[in-house]
Amino acid sequence: MPAMAPQPRLRPATAADAGAMSAIYNHYVRTSTCTFQEQEEGLAERERWLAAHTGGHVALVAEEEDGTIAGWGSLSPFHARSAFRFTVEDSVYLRPDRCGRGLGGVILGELVRCARAGGFRQVVASICAEQEASVALHRRHGFVPAAHFRAVGFKFARWLDVVYLQLDLQAGP
Ligand SMILES: CC(C)(COP(=O)(O)OP(=O)(O)OC[C@H]1O[C@@H](n2cnc3c(N)ncnc32)[C@H](O)[C@@H]1OP(=O)(O)O)[C@@H](O)C(=O)NCCC(=O)NCCS
């Protein structure tokens, strides 16, 4: 049997990770409905995004032994208005050749741990309804359906639904 590859190490993202994070994200901008962004982002945009991810709004990368960034995850403000400050939205993006091995779950588990530690109340995932892997990943971590918006997105010449799933960090077992 081939040896199992060691799990990548999770660590806070730094400005030096902007290029690797953008390369992963832009792949999905070009090819997938998992993001509704249609134009690739530039490096400066990701650098600004990283600079804004401070305190409880974490950005994490999964780094392999040779320095390859296998994926990243983040907690971002759910909404700019201040009364939403106890709610965050999570994101997880893996290199396409690292999908399907459970790494997304490792990153999401750490994001949920960070959200608890950061004193947040709710974690929301906004997911294109056809992204079954992402929905399954969040369900496995206890997220429950909260909303289903029909035909709110239009990408690759198709109308797309969005589902919101949410994890109430104060809910009992
Ligand atoms: C979504 C993503 C983060 C999941 O991470 P992953 O490590 O590949 O996920 P896992 O291998 O742990 O699989 C997650 C679940 O999805 C299921 N799954 C995987 N691929 C699937 C597919 N094509 N269709 C349906 N379900 C699928 C798995 O069976 C698993 O479910 P289970 O635990 O109930 O068995 C990762 O695939 C990814 O980065 N995808 C592209 C970007 C993206 O969609 N990000 C989410 C934005 S909200």
Side-chain angles (χ1 to χ4, degrees), residues 15-171:
D17 298 310
M21 294 173 75
S22 257
I24 292 171
Y25 185 67
N26 282 333
H27 166 82
Y28 295 110
V29 171
R30 289 190 303 273
T31 64
S32 171
T33 57
C34 70
T35 169
F36 280 14
Q37 189 161 332
E38 297 183 283
Q39 304 295 329
E40 291 190 36
E41 68 176 21
L43 190 59
E45 203 176 324
R46 181 57 59 177
E47 285 170 347
R48 277 194 298 277
W49 181 95
L50 275 167
H53 277 75
T54 55
H57 295 123
V58 296
L60 308 172
V61 290
E63 182 178 36
E64 297 176 344
E65 267 179 343
D66 67 358
T68 302
I69 300 302
W72 59 267
S74 60
L75 297 177
S76 300
F78 173 63
H79 196 288
R81 299 263 188 267
S82 61
F84 286 105
R85 65 188 173 279
F86 293 110
T87 301
V88 283
E89 181 175 342
D90 76 272
S91 299
V92 182
Y93 290 94
L94 306 185
R95 273 177 65 116
D97 56 356
R98 303 304 198 274
C99 289
R101 304 177 185 178
L103 177 59
V106 173
I107 295 175
L108 183 56
E110 180 59 13
L111 290 175
V112 170
R113 196 196 65 74
C114 288
R116 282 186 202 285
F120 294 108
R121 170 72 196 260
Q122 305 285 341
V123 186
V124 174
S126 164
I127 305 172
C128 182
E130 67 184 20
Q131 294 291 331
E132 293 174 12
S134 185
V135 172
L137 175 72
H138 285 85
R139 293 300 299 254
R140 181 153 43 84
H141 280 77
F143 287 66
V144 295
H148 187 133
F149 300 103
R150 289 182 175 73
V152 287
F154 187 80
K155 187 173 181 181
F156 306 137
R158 284 191 297 120
W159 291 102
L160 299 166
D161 290 8
V162 168
V163 290
Y164 276 19
L165 278 71
Q166 78 181 97
L167 179 66
D168 185 342
L169 297 172
Q170 285 181 19

